């Protein structure tokens, strides 16, 4: 119920629609009595006595003859159709408004997650939560909640009216009711478990497909097609088995419900005829028997539908539970800073910083260093030494375990997170481009950066000629992840993206590690331009690219082992940097 109440809280902005749908459900329950009652009047007052002109009194009003009853039937039918139409439309409309708001809130919440959360969560499962699970929640409103309320109201109104007309026949109709209610309850419990399994298998299937499609190149390079195909068949089989279980429960329940309904009709006809034959003291009109047959259907049909709607409701509630679990996840970077990071000088200081991606496994140990405003500092070391981790911590993608990171003599936590990150531009080794134009990938839809600004910046760092050579130039669509461009071209786009943002601090992470010689020269020229008079941190694998750095920090196993300029470090006999440089120099000589 707490989950249900929480979900209903999202309808508050749409109270009028919510109340109208609820009112429509009540009116539908009342109108449902109209047609059976009018059929009863037609049979008892006109058809059996062969009197088609007699006046009828219905709800205290007189209607002329058989024709008047037929006209009333048409009015009731039209009213029921219009009510049903508006009920279904606005129930669906309300559901779509709720899931729009819920999906927006979920995505906004996910945007603020720490990188650690994404490191530990499968992308396919997150996509399932944000897309298909939320879509399933919409069915709670369109096919579940209000439909159940409407059906329950119909049952209550019908049952009350039946009792008023003939308590004897009503008692007959209720004989099988406990059996149906018990079967419905058992069915509901079984379906809840089944649908939880279905949603779990849907997530697994989405996650598997998303990973294999993304990594298709690796699958084909290593001839893993057959292996992955067999794994997919197994996962798909589990998905099918989960769904077949729900089909099995449905195939058992609905025939039982149908059989109970038929038995009830048979009993009503039998007892009604017996009462008319004089076995009972109270005779029942034929019209009443016909009316009770119709009303019993209206009593049992909603019961069968409620069970079906409970399936929908169960699926929606399972999906809602999964979505709310993400919304309740406390993986947000703390953003309690008040300072606005505008026009930073670019001074950076790490003070005794400890950090580990996994608890009790430190990646950085008691790390301390300073970067003066306008300096270019290079960080080198073996893979896993902690170089890229420094960048992640500077941008506050992760929270440090101990120590402090200072920016312009103030703690990084003192700044508003958005303003701090707006002053730091990062060019990663693995450049990510969206399936959009080059211009939009550079500006990232920032309205403050015009196309003229981008073109001017591109000319300044020597990238304009390359972009202009592409079809449609800056409007060229690079497709998903930028597959239409080479790795070197993607790096150039990333450099331009960093440059036009005019950051106070620039970070280059292995920016030339996987590009050709021509692109590397363009990138090196661009680096010289965009790092000029700007605090820059360069993580480099090729040591030849960092000779001009003001300071080089050498790291090993999360600790600083050496620090100095290129020349100073080369003079240290047996030094880590010198050995690393000589190995690379010898490799280049051999090449």
């Amino acid at each position: 119920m707490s989950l249900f109440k929480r979900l209903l809280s999202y309808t508050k902005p749409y109270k009028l629609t919510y109340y109208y749908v609820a009112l429509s459900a009540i009116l539908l329950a009342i109108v449902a009595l109209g047609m059976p009652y009018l059929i009863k009047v037609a049979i008892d007052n006109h058809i059996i006595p062969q009197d088609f002109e007699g006046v009828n009194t219905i709800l205290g009003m007189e209607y002329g003859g058989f024709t008047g009853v037929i006209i009333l039937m048409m009015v009731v039918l039209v009213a029921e159709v219009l009510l049903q139409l508006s009920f279904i439309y606005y129930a669906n409309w309300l559901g779509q408004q709720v899931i729009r708001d819920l999906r927006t809130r979920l995505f906004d919440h996910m945007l603020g997650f720490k990188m650690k959360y994404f490191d530990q969560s499968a992308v396919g499962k997150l996509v399932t939560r944000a897309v298909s699970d939320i879509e399933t929640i919409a069915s709670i409103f369109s096919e579940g909640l209000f439909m159940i309320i409407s059906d329950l109201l119909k049952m209550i109104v019908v049952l009350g009216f039946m009792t008023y007309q003939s308590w004897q026949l009503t008692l007959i109709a209720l004989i099988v009711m406990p059996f149906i209610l018990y079967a419905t309850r058992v069915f509901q419990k079984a379906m809840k478990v089944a649908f939880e399994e279905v949603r779990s298998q849907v997530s697994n299937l989405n996650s598997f497909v998303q990973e294999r499609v993304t990594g298709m190149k690796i699958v084909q390079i290593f001839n893993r097609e057959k292996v992955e195909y067999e794994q997919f068949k197994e996962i798909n089989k589990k998905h099918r088995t989960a769904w077949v279980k729900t089909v099995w429960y449905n195939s058992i329940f609905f025939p039982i419900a149908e059989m109970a309904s038929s038995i009830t009709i048979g009993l009503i006809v039998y007892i009604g005829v017996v009462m008319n034959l004089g076995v009972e003291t109270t005779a029942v009109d034929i019209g009443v028997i016909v009316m009770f047959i119709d009303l019993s259907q209206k009593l049992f049909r909603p019961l069968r539908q409620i069970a079906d709607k409970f399936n929908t409701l169960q699926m929606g509630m399972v999906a809602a539970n999964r979505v709310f679990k993400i919304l309740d996840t406390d993986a947000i970077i703390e953003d309690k800073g008040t300072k606005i990071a505008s026009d930073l000088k670019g001074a950076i200081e790490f003070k005794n910083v400890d950090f580990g991606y996994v608890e009790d496994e430190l990646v950085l140990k008691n790390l301390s260093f300073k970067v003066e405003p306008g300096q270019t500092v290079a960080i080198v070391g073996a893979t896993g030494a902690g170089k890229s981790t420094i960048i992640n911590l500077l941008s506050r993608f992760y929270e440090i375990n101990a120590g402090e990171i200072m920016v312009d003599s103030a703690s990084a936590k003192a700044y508003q997170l958005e303003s701090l990150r707006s002053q730091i531009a990062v060019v990663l080794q693995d450049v990510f481009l969206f399936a959009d134009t080059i211009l939009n990938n550079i500006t990232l839809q920032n309205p403050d950066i015009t196309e003229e600004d981008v073109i001017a910046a591109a000319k300044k760092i020597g990238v304009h000629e390359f972009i202009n050579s592409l079809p449609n130039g800056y409007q060229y669509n690079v497709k998903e992840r930028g597959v239409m461009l080479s790795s070197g071209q993607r790096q150039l786009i990333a450099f331009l993206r960093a440059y036009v943002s005019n950051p106070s601090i620039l970070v280059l992470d292995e920016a030339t590690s996987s590009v050709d010689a021509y692109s590397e020269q363009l990138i090196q020229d661009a680096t010289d331009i965009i790092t000029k008079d700007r605090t820059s941190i360069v993580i480099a694998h090729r040591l030849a690219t960092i000779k001009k750095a003001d300071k080089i920090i050498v790291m090993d196993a999360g600790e600083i082992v050496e620090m100095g300029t290129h020349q100073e470090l080369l003079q240290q006999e047996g030094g880590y940097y010198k050995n690393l440089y000589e190995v690379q120099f010898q490799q280049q000589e051999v090449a």
Side-chain angles (χ1 to χ4, degrees):
M1 286 304 297
S2 60
L3 181 67
F4 194 67
K5 288 178 182 177
R6 185 175 180 183
L7 192 59
L8 284 181
S9 69
Y10 283 85
T11 65
K12 287 182 179 178
Y14 315 103
K15 282 184 179 179
L16 286 178
T17 304
Y18 178 83
Y19 291 139
Y20 174 76
V21 173
L23 178 63
S24 297
I26 296 171
L27 293 175
L28 277 170
I30 296 172
V31 171
L33 298 175
M35 196 63 72
Y37 180 71
L38 290 172
I39 291 174
K40 177 249 184 193
V41 170
I43 292 173
D44 287 343
N45 294 6
H46 299 288
I47 296 175
I48 290 178
Q50 297 291 302
D51 178 11
F52 298 100
E53 302 298 331
V55 177
N56 301 290
T57 302
I58 302 174
L59 296 177
M61 300 177 67
E62 291 187 350
Y63 292 89
F66 186 69
T67 304
V69 175
I70 299 301
I71 292 172
L72 275 177
M73 285 184 179
M74 294 175 63
V75 171
V76 169
L77 181 62
V78 170
E80 191 169 9
V81 168
L82 292 176
L83 277 171
Q84 193 74 28
L85 187 149
S86 62
F87 172 75
I88 293 173
Y89 175 81
Y90 284 108
N92 278 274
W93 183 90
L94 183 63
Q96 290 302 316
Q97 299 304 314
V98 168
I99 67 166
R100 181 199 63 185
D101 295 345
L102 190 57
R103 183 180 281 125
T104 302
R105 184 174 176 184
L106 177 66
F107 188 71
D108 182 57
H109 189 65
M110 289 169 61
L111 286 174
F113 280 160
K114 303 174 185 177
M115 287 297 110
K116 184 177 181 180
Y117 179 85
F118 296 105
D119 294 341
Q120 298 173 345
S121 302
V123 174
K125 290 187 177 181
L126 293 177
V127 171
T128 301
R129 300 293 177 272
V131 181
S132 91
D133 276 346
I134 287 190
E135 203 62 46
T136 304
I137 292 173
S139 63
I140 291 178
F141 298 93
S142 61
E143 300 172 35
L145 170 65
F146 292 116
M147 291 295 185
I148 290 174
I149 292 173
S150 177
D151 288 342
L152 284 173
L153 285 173
K154 281 181 184 176
M155 290 175 65
I156 293 169
V157 171
V158 166
L159 194 58
F161 185 71
M162 288 171 71
T163 304
Y164 172 75
Q165 290 292 316
S166 172
W167 66 267
Q168 297 97 329
L169 291 183
T170 303
L171 195 61
I172 299 302
L174 291 177
I175 287 176
V176 296
M177 185 69 77
F179 174 72
I180 291 294
L181 290 173
Y182 175 75
T184 301
R185 180 59 178 162
V186 172
F187 175 70
Q188 177 202 348
K189 286 183 176 180
M191 290 300 285
K192 182 177 185 295
V193 175
F195 280 132
E196 284 177 346
E197 178 64 18
V198 166
R199 298 314 304 169
S200 177
Q201 293 304 326
V202 167
S203 292
N204 292 338
L205 193 62
N206 285 347
S207 183
F208 183 89
V209 172
Q210 189 273 334
E211 285 185 349
R212 270 56 186 185
V213 171
T214 303
M216 188 57 71
K217 186 179 290 186
I218 299 299
V219 170
Q220 294 183 355
I221 286 174
F222 290 94
N223 296 315
R224 294 276 301 175
E225 292 93 337
K226 289 184 179 179
V227 175
E228 299 299 340
Y229 173 70
E230 293 300 326
Q231 287 187 27
F232 178 79
K233 279 176 62 179
E234 187 62 30
I235 294 173
N236 201 30
K237 182 180 177 182
K238 290 180 180 178
H239 178 257
R240 181 207 63 189
T241 302
W243 268 111
V244 167
K245 191 178 290 185
T246 68
V247 173
W248 168 246
Y249 292 146
N250 278 300
S251 65
I252 294 175
F253 174 77
F254 287 103
I256 290 175
E258 194 66 39
M259 182 178 65
S261 176
S262 299
I263 290 172
T264 302
I265 291 173
L267 287 172
I268 288 173
V269 172
Y270 176 76
I271 299 299
V273 171
V274 168
M275 291 169 73
N276 267 334
L277 290 176
V279 176
E280 296 288 339
T281 56
T282 305
V284 178
D285 293 336
I286 299 300
V288 173
I289 295 175
V290 174
M291 181 180 69
F292 262 74
I293 292 173
D294 196 356
L295 288 175
S296 68
Q297 289 299 295
K298 290 184 180 296
L299 185 66
F300 283 99
R301 190 182 302 121
L303 192 59
R304 295 196 300 272
Q305 289 177 348
I306 284 174
D308 194 28
K309 298 301 183 291
F310 259 118
N311 295 350
T312 302
L313 191 61
Q314 295 281 20
M315 287 192 73
M317 296 306 284
V318 169
N321 189 43
R322 292 171 179 271
V323 169
F324 285 136
K325 276 184 179 178
I326 296 181
L327 284 172
D328 293 337
T329 300
D330 185 21
I332 305 295
I333 290 288
E334 189 180 79
D335 187 14
K336 295 182 179 179
T338 56
K339 291 175 66 68
I340 304 297
S342 59
D343 299 322
L344 294 177
K345 294 179 181 178
I348 301 169
E349 183 177 4
F350 276 59
K351 290 183 177 181
N352 308 112
V353 172
D354 287 344
F355 172 76
Y357 294 101
V358 181
E359 195 173 348
D360 299 327
E361 292 183 22
L362 292 180
V363 176
L364 299 180
K365 306 162 189 173
N366 197 33
L367 188 73
S368 297
F369 67 88
K370 285 185 179 182
V371 180
E372 300 298 332
Q375 270 192 335
T376 296
V377 174
I379 303 176
V380 301
T383 300
K387 306 184 297 297
S388 296
T389 300
I390 292 174
I391 298 170
N392 290 331
L393 297 182
L394 180 62
S395 298
R396 293 200 63 206
F397 292 133
Y398 300 86
E399 298 284 18
I400 59 178
N401 296 21
E404 194 168 19
I405 300 174
M406 310 291 289
V407 179
D408 277 12
S409 302
S411 172
K413 292 183 178 180
Y415 293 99
Q416 290 182 4
L417 190 59
E418 183 179 351
S419 69
L420 176 65
R421 288 179 178 171
S422 70
Q423 293 296 307
I424 303 173
V426 181
V427 179
L428 298 172
Q429 176 183 0
D430 183 18
V431 177
F432 187 93
L433 297 181
F434 296 95
D436 206 335
T437 64
I438 285 181
L439 180 64
N440 287 339
N441 269 289
I442 293 168
T443 65
L444 297 178
Q445 310 288 348
N446 186 339
D448 296 330
I449 304 174
T450 66
E451 184 171 357
E452 290 72 24
D453 295 334
V454 173
I455 293 173
K459 289 178 177 178
K460 191 169 183 180
I461 66 173
V463 182
H464 176 71
E465 186 177 339
F466 138 65
I467 296 176
N468 229 24
S469 66
L470 297 171
N472 299 323
Y474 289 85
Q475 299 303 320
Y476 180 64
N477 194 309
V478 300
K479 305 299 181 184
E480 188 175 1
R481 298 183 68 87
V483 294
M484 303 304 290
L485 302 177
S486 68
S487 58
Q489 290 172 329
R490 290 197 295 272
Q491 285 287 1
L492 290 170
I493 297 299
F495 265 79
L496 185 53
R497 179 161 64 191
Y499 186 49
V500 296
S501 67
N502 193 29
S504 300
I505 299 171
L506 178 68
V507 178
L508 307 178
D509 186 2
E510 303 278 10
T512 61
S513 63
S514 58
V515 298
D516 57 82
Y518 173 72
S519 296
E520 182 176 355
Q521 186 57 52
L522 284 176
I523 290 172
Q524 195 59 54
D525 294 341
T527 301
D528 293 339
I529 295 170
I530 67 177
T531 58
K532 186 178 180 181
D533 300 325
R534 179 181 282 120
T535 301
S536 305
I537 298 177
V538 181
I539 294 176
H541 177 69
R542 299 181 187 180
L543 303 185
T545 62
I546 58 169
K547 291 180 181 180
K548 299 177 184 178
D550 298 310
K551 185 191 296 182
I552 298 173
I553 297 174
V554 185
M555 295 189 65
D556 184 38
E559 298 178 298
I560 296 176
V561 292
E562 293 174 1
M563 191 182 302
T565 64
H566 175 70
Q567 293 300 327
E568 289 171 351
L569 293 174
L570 285 182
Q571 291 173 8
Q572 296 184 21
E573 289 298 326
Y576 190 102
Y577 180 84
K578 183 177 181 181
N579 292 335
L580 198 62
Y581 184 79
E582 287 176 350
V583 168
Q584 282 197 14
F585 183 75
Q586 288 172 1
Q587 289 174 345
Q588 291 173 359
E589 288 277 314
V590 171

